[in-house]
Amino acid sequence: GNSVTQMEGPVTLSEEAFLTINCTYTATGYPSLFWYVQYPGEGLQLLLKATKADDKGSNKGFEATYRKETTSFHLEKGSVQVSDSAVYFCALTLYTGNQFYFGTGTSLTVIP
Amino acid sequence: NAGVTQTPKFQVLKTGQSMTLQCAQDMNHEYMSWYRQDPGMGLRLIHYSVGAGITDQGEVPNGYNVSRSTTEDFPLRLLSAAPSQTSVYFCASNPSGRVYEQYFGPGTRLTVT
């Protein structure tokens, strides 16, 4: 089947620390991979995406590389800010039936 | 553009009651979807629609009905609420064939007692 596994939270970091949130996937075909972010009280927003192996998605200082050999799409940021505090979701789609498969979400809190 | 709007923001129901969660979008997107978000389980697809008059089931459709009479609106109906339906519900829309461009509404927090 299709599924996404991401690291358990919550994660608490000091401002300017390095962030990694691990994400691995299982898919029956060739998925596209995504990171979504959910700020408190809001809906999900697309953070970045990668549509094929070895693609790197990037946005707002966040990066993730689609690794087919390790079925991974880890999210990284070199220097987090307090404003990055949110819940981060890894997701995949195979473009059938408008179906997204989401991970369980990782809560990040950045303290000054 | 208002994007995707949902009403109400919060709702408390008693077991067995019925209600409709409203969702509207003003981006002329063909596709609309309903998800539920539960702790430790991420988001799961309930129902989706690829255009007016066309709906289909997602991963967890039981206990929910949908209809799509216009491009703009995609209401979700709970016919007989159960405590297991306590969750946060998100509506999303995207252009046809571009599922990755989903725009999410702010969510409805539903509690069934």
Side-chain angles (χ1 to χ4, degrees):
Chain A
N2 303 302
S3 66
V4 175
T5 302
Q6 61 183 105
M7 64 184 287
E8 295 284 334
V11 174
T12 302
L13 295 174
S14 297
E15 206 164 24
E16 300 183 2
F18 185 86
L19 169 71
T20 299
I21 301 178
N22 290 338
C23 171
T24 58
Y25 69 89
T26 302
T28 54
Y30 299 97
S32 291
L33 303 173
F34 307 84
W35 279 99
Y36 278 82
V37 58
Q38 183 182 28
Y39 298 104
E42 299 183 11
L44 278 71
Q45 304 173 26
L46 178 64
L47 181 59
L48 54 85
K49 69 178 188 288
T51 58
K52 62 183 186 297
D54 299 325
D55 271 1
K56 177 186 283 187
S58 61
N59 186 26
K60 299 182 181 180
F62 291 89
E63 294 184 340
T65 300
Y66 188 155
R67 300 286 187 202
K68 186 178 177 185
E69 63 275 14
T70 55
T71 61
S72 65
F73 193 55
H74 305 320
L75 182 69
E76 296 181 336
K77 187 174 185 182
S79 175
V80 294
Q81 306 299 313
V82 172
S83 58
D84 293 326
S85 297
V87 180
Y88 292 81
F89 292 90
C90 187
L92 70 83
T93 184
L94 290 162
Y95 294 99
T96 58
N98 217 50
Q99 174 83 54
F100 258 98
Y101 298 88
F102 284 90
T104 55
T106 301
S107 175
L108 170 67
T109 301
V110 180
I111 55 177
Chain B
N1 285 351
V4 180
T5 57
Q6 292 183 239
T7 56
K9 285 193 172 182
F10 302 95
Q11 182 71 47
V12 179
L13 291 178
K14 295 187 187 305
T15 297
Q17 288 184 316
S18 63
M19 79 159 297
T20 299
L21 307 185
Q22 301 292 343
C23 173
Q25 53 92 8
D26 61 358
M27 297 173 281
N28 203 33
H29 287 166
E30 296 89 346
Y31 284 36
M32 297 185 74
S33 303
W34 275 104
Y35 293 87
R36 59 179 289 172
Q37 182 182 27
D38 300 299
M41 302 197 69
L43 276 74
R44 292 180 291 168
L45 183 65
I46 304 172
H47 285 284
Y48 66 97
S49 168
V50 300
I54 306 169
T55 63
D56 206 346
Q57 296 180 353
E59 184 183 356
V60 288
N62 292 340
Y64 307 94
N65 280 351
V66 293
S67 60
R68 183 100 177 270
S69 55
T70 67
T71 298
E72 294 79 17
D73 300 300
F74 191 43
L76 179 72
R77 280 182 282 277
L78 285 72
L79 297 179
S80 178
S84 61
Q85 294 178 306
T86 293
S87 188
V88 181
Y89 292 85
F90 288 99
C91 181
S93 73
N94 59 279
S96 173
R98 285 146 67 176
V99 64
Y100 51 85
E101 289 187 23
Q102 293 210 25
Y103 292 81
F104 284 82
T108 294
R109 185 174 293 275
L110 175 68
T111 302
V112 182
T113 61

